[in-house]
Amino acid sequence: QVQLVESGGGLVKPGGSLRLSCAASGFTFSDYYMSWIRQAPGKGLEWVSYISSSGSTIYYADSVKGRFTISRDNAKNSLYLQMNSLRAEDTAVYYCASTVVVAATGYYFDYWGQGTLVTVSS
Amino acid sequence: VIWMTQSPSLLSASTGDRVTISCRMSQGISSYLAWYQQKPGKAPELLIYAASTLQSGVPSRFSGSGSGTDFTLTISCLQSEDFATYYCQHRGTFGQGTKVEIK
């Protein structure tokens, strides 16, 4: 069955960096768009970024543009999120999710990992 | 920018009740809307996509309707396992969430 396992979260100081990973199994990873979505403690869901199946198309939320970089390695069935210049407001559980794109105007997230907690604090 | 308004934010109901959650868009989005359920400490799960298509494995008491700007998630007969928070989503925007709690 589909499995997405995030890792790499932890405590980091403001201005620091962290790299999250998401290991995928149970489906043909190279066929799927993938996304990162986050959830601050006690808050709602916020989409962060998505990457096309080949890696050629990438989008970011304005809140992370210029600081975060999404990437993937299809040979390793893995998705990554490099987070630089971290701020307190980046504190959240970060989920990776497989993403279904519909007619280039809509997309949704059909499978989610369990999430990894990133805490930005001095 | 498309704005999304999900309501109510809190819904108190009893087992067996029929409940509806609304998601209203600031401009038409055809049927490009999804609904998710999230239980405490767990990842969200996809319930419905394309406004009304039930994800595989989701009980038939869940249904979605609407197109354009107004969408609804309906739970026809609330079960104990349905007490959770529900989110609508269009592209990179999620609704604010609706917590369904026990009355």
Side-chain angles (χ1 to χ4, degrees), chain B residues 4-86:
Chain B
M4 175 183 281
T5 303
Q6 184 178 342
S7 63
S9 56
L10 178 63
L11 195 160
S12 298
S14 302
T15 303
D17 283 354
R18 178 184 178 89
V19 302
T20 60
I21 299 168
S22 169
C23 193
R24 178 163 289 177
M25 311 302 295
S26 60
Q27 59 185 274
I29 60 166
S30 185
S31 298
Y32 300 116
L33 190 96
W35 291 96
Y36 302 85
Q37 177 193 67
Q38 186 179 32
K39 297 181 179 178
K42 300 292 187 182
E45 293 185 358
L46 177 66
L47 293 175
I48 287 167
Y49 61 92
S52 61
T53 303
L54 210 60
Q55 172 72 341
S56 176
V58 174
S60 58
R61 63 181 178 272
F62 291 92
S63 64
S65 62
S67 66
T69 60
D70 292 314
F71 300 86
T72 300
L73 173 70
T74 300
I75 310 173
S76 60
C77 183
L78 202 62
Q79 302 297 300
S80 57
E81 61 266 32
D82 302 335
F83 292 99
T85 300
Y86 294 85

Side-chain angles (χ1 to χ4, degrees), chain A residues 13-65:
Chain A
K13 288 181 167 52
S17 298
L18 213 53
R19 189 195 196 207
L20 305 183
S21 299
C22 171
S25 60
F27 65 107
T28 306
F29 180 74
S30 57
D31 285 348
Y32 273 79
Y33 283 52
M34 296 294 295
S35 297
W36 288 99
I37 298 140
R38 68 183 181 183
Q39 186 170 37
K43 302 296 185 183
L45 299 168
E46 180 188 15
W47 169 79
V48 172
S49 180
Y50 94 41
I51 186 168
S52 63
S53 53
S54 67
S56 60
T57 300
I58 287 173
Y59 290 106
Y60 297 100
D62 288 343
S63 58
V64 306
K65 202 172 294 183

Side-chain angles (χ1 to χ4, degrees), chain A:
Chain A
Q1 73 278 25
V2 173
Q3 195 165 15
L4 297 167
V5 180
E6 301 93 337
S7 60
L11 176 62
V12 60
K13 288 181 167 52
S17 298
L18 213 53
R19 189 195 196 207
L20 305 183
S21 299
C22 171
S25 60
F27 65 107
T28 306
F29 180 74
S30 57
D31 285 348
Y32 273 79
Y33 283 52
M34 296 294 295
S35 297
W36 288 99
I37 298 140
R38 68 183 181 183
Q39 186 170 37
K43 302 296 185 183
L45 299 168
E46 180 188 15
W47 169 79
V48 172
S49 180
Y50 94 41
I51 186 168
S52 63
S53 53
S54 67
S56 60
T57 300
I58 287 173
Y59 290 106
Y60 297 100
D62 288 343
S63 58
V64 306
K65 202 172 294 183
R67 300 187 299 123
F68 289 13
T69 302
I70 191 172
S71 63
R72 65 189 297 158
D73 185 337
N74 286 342
K76 294 183 177 180
N77 289 343
S78 293
L79 175 73
Y80 306 102
L81 186 68
Q82 177 66 44
M83 304 186 294
N84 298 332
S85 303
L86 282 162
R87 306 166 180 166
E89 54 265 36
D90 295 318
T91 294
V93 174
Y94 285 73
Y95 298 101
C96 67
S98 55
T99 303
V100 178
V101 175
V102 181
T105 51
Y107 52 89
Y108 59 89
F109 313 107
D110 57 349
Y111 294 99
W112 299 59
Q114 85 290 347
T116 187
L117 176 62
V118 172
T119 303
V120 184
S121 174
S122 54

